[in-house]
Amino acid sequence: MKNLLLTALLGVLLLPAASAQSTAETPSAGFRITGQIKGLKDTTCVLAHYFGSTQYIPKDTARVDAAGNMVFEGNKSLPQGLFLVVVPKKGYLQLLITDDQQFSFETDTTNMIKDMKVTGSKENELFYAYQQQLSKLSDEAQALNIQKKIRTDDVSKAMFNKQMGDLQKQANDYRIQFMKDNPTTFAAKLFKATAEPEVPPAPKASNGRPDSVWVFNYFKNHFWDDFDFADERFVRTPFLQQKIERYIKELTVQTPDSLIKEADFLVNKAIAGKNTEVKYYTIYYITSQYEQPKVMGTDGLFVHMFEKYYKTGIMTVSDSSTLKSIGERVATMKPNLVGKILASPVISDTLRRPIAFSAIKADYTVVFFYSPTCGHCRESAPKVKKFVDDYKGKGVEVVAIAIDQSPEDWKKFIKEFKLGNAINGYDFSYRTDYRHQYDVWTTPTIYILDKNKKIIARKLPVEQMEDFMLFHKRQQAAQLAKKPAAVAPANAKASVKK
């Protein structure tokens, strides 16, 4: 079930783009991009467009002759976006593909950006002019930094600081003028979308220093100011994915409530942009990142995304069997998310006496689902035994439940790994579907519960059980310490026991 959504829906997501492309292209339109890269010969280059920041969709190949010449051509127009010409052993160069798809370029392998010249494509002329000018200013800044390390007297420092400030001003002025002169171009849109929000001077906090919280909130609130959710071409760049990832994973607190709020905010912006491809990609990417998230407990966002967007049809999926499979996965996950009360398993001990799970009194209950013949379970068993023995009688109970194999195999496992101090359980009625009832698709699977049997951790590695429990204890103690002490009402009378 690993990355079910990511792998199953990737092809589905590409279908609308392919469909739109086929209706927009005409045999007479086509594309022809001729290039020359000096220093390259007798090889093959690939023309591809981005799909997110890590995937590329090849559209054509071209054989490079002895002089570095190549031609990409086809009788159907290319989908618009940011493309790469993948150059073997030399990396790649980028091209903007918009309406003008009949153009040429020439460059050199020594510095493909600095030496790039484009003819017949205004977008690419602007795209490289901008990069070349800022690269030139960057080179001058690096040269100044080298001189600063050599000449360290106060007069030289002041001179270098002024020159550095002048270079920064030139770069800012150039950027502002570029955007002003080319406001509707795709090149300008790309550069604006990737720029950081400019944060004005912050007000002072109570300690007299600039208010860092205000700075963060301003940055986050203006993070999407210059991004055009109506422009489908951004799906075929790395920038939509990069911005979503940064906003969701770096600028949002990694708790289900915060993540759900911000995910809905982004999807609403994509819906307001009225571009189906941008909407689909935004929903798809957020959902795919939280099916098996790196931060424990945040898979609640995956459940939310499915129920709000896939199940309702806002995110259209043509493959009904895939949608059904994901729905079944969500139905399994939902009752077993962090924050839910774990359903009491129907289990008995080695003498077939029922174990009243809800009656187990402990500050922490660790539930260890395993298979007696599972290799990973057998590797984990000595660590589980140590944990059980270390915390027995200290407010911690471990309930070890065998999900399959025979009662004899189960008892043999308990004896072999000396798990007598654990609460060992087995379903002699064979009615429990552990995979669907407790989301146990791999073994071992570990849950940690608080004193009310609420799930506070799920699918932890055995090695992290103790660390997590101690961390949670510290968190609880810190929260209690922050609570104000109870104060008696002003009119309360003191009671003296005689």
Side-chain angles (χ1 to χ4, degrees):
M1 300 295 290
K2 186 175 182 181
N3 289 330
L4 172 65
L5 186 72
L6 183 64
T7 54
L9 291 188
L10 179 58
V12 176
L13 185 64
L14 287 171
L15 289 177
S19 175
Q21 182 184 333
S22 63
T23 57
E25 294 169 355
T26 60
S28 60
F31 66 95
R32 181 179 172 83
I33 302 168
T34 61
Q36 182 186 40
I37 303 178
K38 296 174 183 176
L40 191 70
K41 63 179 181 179
D42 302 327
T43 188
T44 298
C45 288
V46 178
L47 180 68
H49 68 71
Y50 283 94
F51 185 73
S53 63
T54 57
Q55 299 181 68
Y56 314 103
I57 310 299
K59 302 304 290 185
D60 196 20
T61 59
R63 189 65 190 169
V64 181
D65 65 18
N69 296 303
M70 70 193 78
V71 180
F72 297 103
E73 60 183 336
N75 58 12
K76 291 185 178 181
S77 298
L78 294 166
Q80 297 185 25
L82 182 60
F83 276 62
L84 307 95
V85 176
V86 183
V87 183
K89 300 181 181 180
K90 300 292 182 181
Y92 61 88
L93 58 86
Q94 295 177 322
L95 295 172
L96 297 185
I97 301 298
T98 54
D99 291 329
D100 46 356
Q101 298 191 11
Q102 312 275 336
F103 63 91
S104 63
F105 68 87
E106 60 178 87
T107 187
D108 195 298
T109 55
T110 55
N111 194 324
M112 289 194 286
I113 293 178
K114 182 179 179 181
D115 297 331
M116 175 66 77
K117 294 178 183 177
V118 181
T119 304
S121 170
K122 182 66 181 298
E123 287 281 4
N124 283 291
E125 291 173 23
L126 292 171
F127 184 61
Y128 276 98
Y130 184 92
Q131 294 180 79
Q132 287 164 353
Q133 177 61 20
L134 292 188
S135 178
K136 176 176 174 293
L137 295 174
S138 177
D139 289 345
E140 292 180 30
Q142 288 181 23
L144 277 178
N145 280 328
I146 292 172
Q147 292 185 52
K148 282 177 71 175
K149 293 178 182 178
I150 299 171
R151 297 167 59 184
T152 58
D153 59 279
D154 291 342
V155 174
S156 297
K157 283 182 181 178
M159 178 184 68
F160 291 141
N161 287 338
K162 182 181 182 305
Q163 290 175 332
M164 193 68 77
D166 290 342
L167 286 175
Q168 184 63 55
K169 185 176 184 305
Q170 287 182 52
N172 289 337
D173 290 347
Y174 177 79
R175 180 179 181 278
I176 292 169
Q177 193 62 44
F178 182 92
M179 302 303 172
K180 183 179 178 181
D181 293 342
N182 309 285
T184 61
T185 63
F186 188 41
K189 278 189 174 184
L190 283 180
F191 294 130
K192 287 175 70 176
T194 57
E196 300 274 84
E198 293 185 13
V199 181
K204 296 287 175 47
S206 57
N207 60 8
R209 298 176 181 174
D211 189 340
S212 59
V213 174
W214 183 91
V215 171
F216 174 83
N217 288 335
Y218 184 95
F219 184 92
K220 183 178 179 180
N221 291 338
H222 293 271
F223 187 74
W224 294 98
D225 283 1
D226 292 318
F227 191 89
D228 186 0
F229 279 89
D231 195 331
E232 179 183 312
R233 294 173 293 188
F234 275 107
V235 173
R236 289 179 285 278
T237 75
F239 308 126
L240 175 57
Q241 177 180 323
Q242 288 173 357
K243 287 185 76 76
I244 292 174
E245 185 156 6
R246 187 172 183 196
Y247 187 82
I248 289 291
K249 295 184 180 180
E250 296 181 25
L251 301 181
T252 300
V253 178
Q254 296 298 290
T255 61
D257 288 346
S258 296
L259 287 167
I260 287 169
K261 175 186 173 184
E262 299 301 349
D264 287 346
F265 166 76
L266 288 184
V267 174
N268 286 335
K269 288 185 79 69
I271 291 172
K274 297 182 179 180
N275 183 272
T276 302
E277 283 299 290
V278 174
K279 178 187 75 173
Y280 280 174
Y281 191 86
T282 301
I283 295 172
Y284 151 79
Y285 185 71
I286 294 172
T287 310
S288 69
Q289 294 301 292
Y290 285 87
E291 182 179 8
Q292 294 186 343
K294 293 181 179 178
V295 178
M296 186 181 59
T298 57
D299 42 5
L301 177 57
F302 173 79
V303 172
H304 169 81
M305 295 296 288
F306 174 80
E307 292 189 331
K308 184 164 184 177
Y309 301 111
Y310 289 85
K311 193 174 180 180
T312 60
I314 294 174
M315 175 71 170
T316 304
V317 178
S318 58
D319 184 355
S320 59
S321 62
T322 298
L323 190 65
K324 181 182 177 182
S325 297
I326 300 170
E328 291 172 353
R329 173 84 177 108
V330 167
T332 298
M333 292 173 64
K334 189 174 180 179
N336 295 296
L337 295 174
V338 169
K340 302 283 188 178
I341 300 295
L342 187 75
S344 295
V346 178
I347 52 176
S348 300
D349 64 16
T350 54
L351 299 177
R352 294 183 177 249
R353 295 174 301 192
I355 295 172
F357 185 80
S358 59
I360 296 172
K361 302 299 180 184
D363 294 329
Y364 294 95
T365 301
V366 177
V367 184
F368 176 63
F369 292 104
Y370 70 96
S371 172
T373 57
C374 154
H376 290 301
C377 302
R378 297 180 68 81
E379 290 175 10
S380 300
K383 299 169 188 173
V384 173
K385 174 194 167 8
K386 184 177 186 309
F387 181 85
V388 170
D389 294 345
D390 286 349
Y391 285 96
K392 189 67 178 178
K394 298 178 181 178
V396 180
E397 292 287 357
V398 175
V399 181
I401 301 174
I403 68 166
D404 58 19
Q405 306 306 316
S406 67
E408 290 72 28
D409 289 328
W410 167 56
K411 293 175 183 178
K412 182 179 177 182
F413 186 93
I414 296 169
K415 184 176 180 181
E416 178 180 353
F417 293 104
K418 299 179 175 62
L419 291 174
N421 281 332
I423 299 173
N424 291 285
Y426 189 86
D427 177 15
F428 288 95
S429 68
Y430 305 104
R431 294 176 182 175
T432 306
D433 181 352
Y434 289 101
R435 286 176 174 78
H436 290 95
Q437 288 179 234
Y438 294 99
D439 198 23
V440 181
W441 292 91
T442 60
T443 51
T445 291
I446 293 174
Y447 285 81
I448 297 184
L449 318 177
D450 69 7
K451 63 183 179 181
N452 299 313
K453 302 299 183 291
K454 183 174 74 175
I455 301 167
I456 57 175
R458 67 191 298 266
K459 297 185 179 294
L460 268 180
V462 170
E463 296 79 9
Q464 294 180 16
M465 289 189 304
E466 183 174 27
D467 288 343
F468 177 84
M469 188 184 71
L470 295 176
F471 168 76
H472 188 267
K473 277 186 175 182
R474 290 194 297 269
Q475 269 194 327
Q476 296 296 101
Q479 289 175 5
L480 286 173
K482 288 180 181 179
K483 289 184 179 180
V487 178
N491 60 353
K493 293 181 180 180
S495 175
V496 180
K497 186 176 181 179
K498 295 182 181 179

